[in-house]
Amino acid sequence: MALKTVVVLGVTSSQYGWKDLGSKPSGYPLNRINESEKVCKWMRFGGFPGLSACRAIRSVENENTSNRGTKLQQIVDQTENDDSRRLQRDLNSFPRPLSISDLSAIPDGGSKVRISFKGLPGSYSEDAALKAYPKCETVPCNDFEDAFKAVELWLADKAVLPIENSSGGSIHRNYDLLLRHRLQIVGEVQLDCNLCLLALPGVRAEHLKRVLSHPQALSLSDILLSKLGVSRENVDDTAGAAQYVSSNSLRDVGVVASARAAEIYGLNILAERIQDDFDNVTRYLVLARDPIIPRTNKPFKTSIVFTLDEGPGVLFKALAVFALRDINLKKIESRPQRKRPLRVVDDSNMGSAKYFDYLFYIDFEASMAEPRAQNALGHLQEFATFLRILGCYPTDTTL
């Protein structure tokens, strides 16, 4: 009786595509067993530990000839079943292959996509979600971390969170959350934010005594609010302020929020474009559980985070890997490491000197499908103590 040879081809998925394990499968057939020959050989599977059939064969050497074939087949079948289960466990430890749904950053029309965001309906973050996915179902969250967790727990498909504003600068909280969580950046949205002064129907601007809004919205509307001579009160969300004024019928209180918030909560728009800087753009990131496949047929951007050892010229060397390959850097942000925020260095003259260890976040204009981007990161790895790709995604060119 001849036993069948089993060959398993090992494959895995890298972050951005398929890659061979690099080991060629080698299968050795077990020799035919007869009365004059009891020889066994090992079967090996490419990329997996060797699996032996010797034990199964030797366990039947002393059986009578009539039962040998039947019992041998039963034992080998059991061995193959055990080995199959073990191989399945090994395969399950590999990253899940990219599915067909990962081939596009934005599905057609955004239908049936659930998007989490911080705030209530009518917030600017919801506006950004609807710009990217016009037919999406939005999932309001209490804070930024809840928006991350909603995606991780499969309560939402994607999250949309602000990362920087053209006037107010970076949202540092979300830079920290990008590193704390394992979501991938799969897109960006640039939203032209129209700050509006809202109030209950029939209320005029001169009737207002207080104005509620997010601290950044209030600071960006300083000129108009100073002219009105109103007091300012900070709240956590622009849409939340609109809801509060509407539900409590506060006729002497105004709100700085979006035009959609006025429509949702039944408020009137007293003035539009009240921001001091007329061009007020907020950049949002679209986050998902899995990365998308990078392309070269349109502009792509890649975001990374890394750390460096201390020393003169180390940051210069890190940035030079991009300049040497004509890769344009769009943004660089440094953040102190939270797990090791301070390092103490003894100095015989000055005592103890304290300084921060920093994480460097960089956005650069290149796709990971391009060899120059791959070579740049390979070069950076030579002296970076930590490097992580946060995402490779299409650039938003709608503004």
Side-chain angles (χ1 to χ4, degrees):
M1 177 182 65
L3 302 180
K4 295 182 179 179
T5 303
V6 181
V7 177
V8 176
L9 295 177
V11 292
T12 185
S13 61
S14 66
Q15 188 175 15
Y16 293 107
W18 293 97
K19 187 175 89 174
D20 238 328
L21 282 177
S23 57
K24 296 181 179 179
S26 57
Y28 296 96
L30 293 174
N31 285 7
R32 194 170 292 154
I33 306 299
N34 53 41
E35 291 297 321
S36 61
E37 186 178 22
K38 296 184 179 69
V39 181
C40 68
K41 290 189 178 180
W42 295 81
M43 289 197 305
R44 293 192 298 116
F45 293 78
F48 299 99
L51 305 175
S52 176
C54 289
R55 181 170 46 190
I57 295 171
R58 286 172 180 162
S59 65
V60 298
E61 283 182 351
N62 297 323
E63 297 289 336
N64 59 53
T65 303
S66 61
N67 295 330
R68 174 175 299 174
T70 301
K71 291 189 176 182
L72 174 60
Q73 184 63 48
Q74 291 174 348
I75 294 173
V76 170
D77 288 345
Q78 180 62 42
T79 302
E80 288 181 346
N81 289 336
D82 293 342
D83 293 339
S84 178
R85 286 192 292 269
R86 190 173 77 178
L87 286 172
Q88 187 61 43
R89 290 197 301 269
D90 291 338
L91 288 171
N92 288 338
S93 67
F94 283 81
R96 185 180 64 81
L98 297 177
S99 64
I100 191 67
S101 61
D102 298 318
L103 295 179
S104 175
I106 300 179
D108 184 20
S111 59
K112 298 183 180 179
V113 178
R114 290 172 57 85
I115 309 294
S116 63
F117 68 96
K118 178 186 179 296
L120 294 178
S123 69
Y124 290 102
S125 292
E126 188 183 45
D127 286 350
L130 292 171
K131 179 183 177 182
Y133 302 86
K135 298 180 181 179
C136 72
E137 178 185 350
T138 55
V139 181
C141 298
N142 288 329
D143 54 44
F144 291 128
E145 187 147 22
D146 287 340
F148 277 84
K149 290 180 179 178
V151 179
E152 292 174 332
L153 297 175
W154 296 79
L155 302 176
D157 301 301
K158 293 178 174 62
V160 170
L161 297 126
I163 198 67
E164 60 178 325
N165 178 266
S166 58
S167 300
S170 300
I171 293 92
H172 295 129
R173 170 66 172 163
N174 285 341
Y175 273 104
D176 294 337
L177 290 174
L178 282 175
L179 193 61
R180 182 181 302 176
H181 296 269
R182 296 297 298 182
L183 298 185
Q184 299 286 328
I185 305 174
V186 296
E188 67 174 358
V189 184
Q190 297 191 76
L191 184 69
D192 184 12
C193 297
N194 175 20
L195 299 185
C196 303
L197 180 62
L198 313 180
L200 287 172
V203 176
R204 291 165 30 181
E206 54 266 28
H207 298 157
L208 301 178
K209 296 179 180 179
R210 297 183 294 154
V211 172
L212 311 180
S213 194
H214 188 276
Q216 189 174 64
L218 293 175
S219 66
L220 294 177
S221 310
D222 180 68
I223 294 176
L224 176 65
L225 298 182
S226 296
K227 287 181 179 179
L228 292 176
V230 295
S231 63
R232 309 172 196 186
E233 295 185 15
N234 296 335
V235 295
D236 195 44
D237 177 42
T238 57
Q243 183 194 54
Y244 178 77
V245 170
S246 177
S247 61
N248 291 280
S249 300
L250 303 177
R251 302 192 64 80
D252 61 346
V253 180
V255 176
V256 177
S258 69
R260 283 188 64 252
E263 180 182 352
I264 292 172
Y265 301 107
L267 302 179
N268 280 352
I269 299 176
L270 303 181
E272 293 191 65
R273 295 283 177 186
I274 66 173
Q275 58 262 27
D276 301 343
D277 186 357
F278 188 79
D279 293 324
N280 178 34
V281 178
T282 300
R283 177 172 169 250
Y284 293 80
L285 298 178
V286 182
L287 307 172
R289 290 179 291 272
D290 299 313
I292 62 172
I293 297 177
R295 307 291 189 186
T296 57
N297 58 343
K298 57 184 175 181
F300 263 72
K301 186 182 292 183
T302 301
S303 296
I304 63 172
V305 57
F306 61 92
T307 57
L308 299 168
D309 281 330
E310 292 291 333
V314 177
L315 181 57
F316 171 80
K317 294 177 183 177
L319 301 181
V321 305
F322 302 101
L324 291 172
R325 295 166 177 87
D326 294 323
I327 297 176
N328 184 38
L329 299 184
K330 291 294 292 182
K331 182 176 175 65
I332 180 169
E333 181 83 19
S334 61
R335 295 288 294 149
Q337 294 190 56
R338 290 192 173 276
K339 290 187 177 180
R340 191 178 58 178
L342 292 173
R343 182 187 295 173
V344 179
V345 179
D346 291 331
D347 189 314
S348 57
N349 296 323
M350 302 298 294
S352 296
K354 298 181 179 180
Y355 59 91
F356 288 98
D357 283 338
Y358 284 93
L359 295 158
F360 297 97
Y361 293 82
I362 283 182
D363 298 336
F364 62 86
E365 289 183 317
S367 169
M368 285 306 298
E370 299 179 63
R372 61 174 183 152
Q374 300 168 13
N375 294 335
L377 295 190
H379 192 177
L380 179 60
Q381 278 187 309
E382 293 179 8
F383 40 86
T385 55
F386 165 78
L387 173 63
R388 177 177 158 191
I389 299 175
L390 298 172
C392 183
Y393 48 93
T395 302
D396 184 4
T397 58
T398 56
L399 288 181

